[in-house]
Amino acid sequence: AAADTARTDTIKKREPGIDAPVDYECSDSLVYDATTGLVHLYGKAKVKYMDMTLDAAKITMCMDSNKVTAEGLADSTGVPKDIPVYHQGADEYTSERMAFNFKTKKGFIKNTYTAQGNGFRQSQRSKRADDGTLYLEHAKYTTCDAKHPHFYLKLSRGKVRPGKETIFGPAYLVVEDVPLPLAVPYGFFPIS
């Protein structure tokens, strides 16, 4: 008897996509580029996926990789308007530019501003992990609610565990944009 030498089936299994529908809307226009798989939303754009919501002047979604980027646009005077605002549960982040992956729940945030307990946090660059933890670089922590705070702790880097605490590395106190010779090697702020 001759052995069956038929080749085994080589159908590649498709990776599972996202778990829920993505709702989106915009006030100006929606442009879909079929060659790149990108969808561009202009004018008060909004994207909603499960409990996550992203609002911005311009949002770009990649239909193949579940990635979304958002940015604000400057008006004729150069003042940014409709800057990205990200909501998930009780968390809210306002930033200059944001990139996020719906599937992995990881993201990168540039120039973010958010409230944390009784304080406010700003950072030049932030990276969001899939569990919601934020890794900060060049951050400020203050209880002053002004956009440009009068006093703050300047953090070289930090880690924010949502609902728990902020842990930071070397930091120093700044009052009225004057760094004081008071340094803290490390520390943490509980959310409460």
Side-chain angles (χ1 to χ4, degrees):
D4 185 13
T5 59
R7 193 168 183 191
T8 58
D9 194 7
T10 59
I11 295 176
K12 192 175 188 180
K13 285 189 176 184
R14 185 175 178 168
E15 289 188 31
I18 53 179
D19 300 330
V22 176
D23 296 323
Y24 53 90
E25 60 185 64
C26 60
S27 64
D28 187 357
S29 60
L30 179 144
V31 178
Y32 174 66
D33 186 352
T35 58
T36 61
L38 294 177
V39 175
H40 303 280
L41 306 167
Y42 297 99
K44 296 191 188 290
K46 183 177 199 172
V47 174
K48 183 170 174 40
Y49 173 70
M50 296 171 75
D51 66 338
M52 296 176 272
T53 305
L54 180 60
D55 299 302
K58 178 186 175 190
I59 297 178
T60 303
M61 296 188 302
C62 181
M63 302 307 278
D64 296 333
S65 64
N66 305 317
K67 292 181 184 174
V68 63
T69 59
E71 60 187 308
L73 296 177
D75 62 9
S76 60
T77 62
V79 177
K81 59 183 243 182
D82 295 330
I83 58 175
V85 178
Y86 172 82
H87 299 275
Q88 183 176 19
D91 296 334
E92 179 180 308
Y93 305 104
T94 303
S95 66
E96 182 179 301
R97 182 169 169 74
M98 185 177 297
F100 189 76
N101 187 316
F102 285 130
K103 190 173 177 183
T104 63
K105 297 183 179 165
K106 294 180 181 180
F108 180 77
I109 310 167
K110 183 178 177 186
N111 293 334
T112 185
Y113 178 82
T114 187
Q116 177 186 357
N118 295 329
F120 301 92
R121 188 181 65 244
Q122 299 176 5
S123 67
Q124 286 182 358
R125 296 191 313 177
S126 304
K127 183 178 175 183
R128 185 183 189 277
D130 56 353
D131 63 352
T133 301
L134 283 173
Y135 296 93
L136 313 174
E137 187 176 57
H138 304 295
K140 298 175 184 177
Y141 183 84
T142 183
T143 55
C144 178
D145 62 353
K147 193 69 173 171
H148 185 78
H150 301 95
F151 58 91
Y152 56 90
L153 270 178
K154 176 84 172 154
L155 315 176
S156 58
R157 62 188 153 191
K159 177 180 177 180
V160 179
R161 293 175 40 192
K164 296 181 181 172
E165 75 264 343
T166 298
I167 304 164
F168 60 91
Y172 55 92
L173 183 62
V174 177
V175 178
E176 294 293 337
D177 293 329
V178 177
L180 300 179
L182 179 62
V184 181
Y186 62 89
F188 75 95
F189 302 114
I191 295 296
S192 61

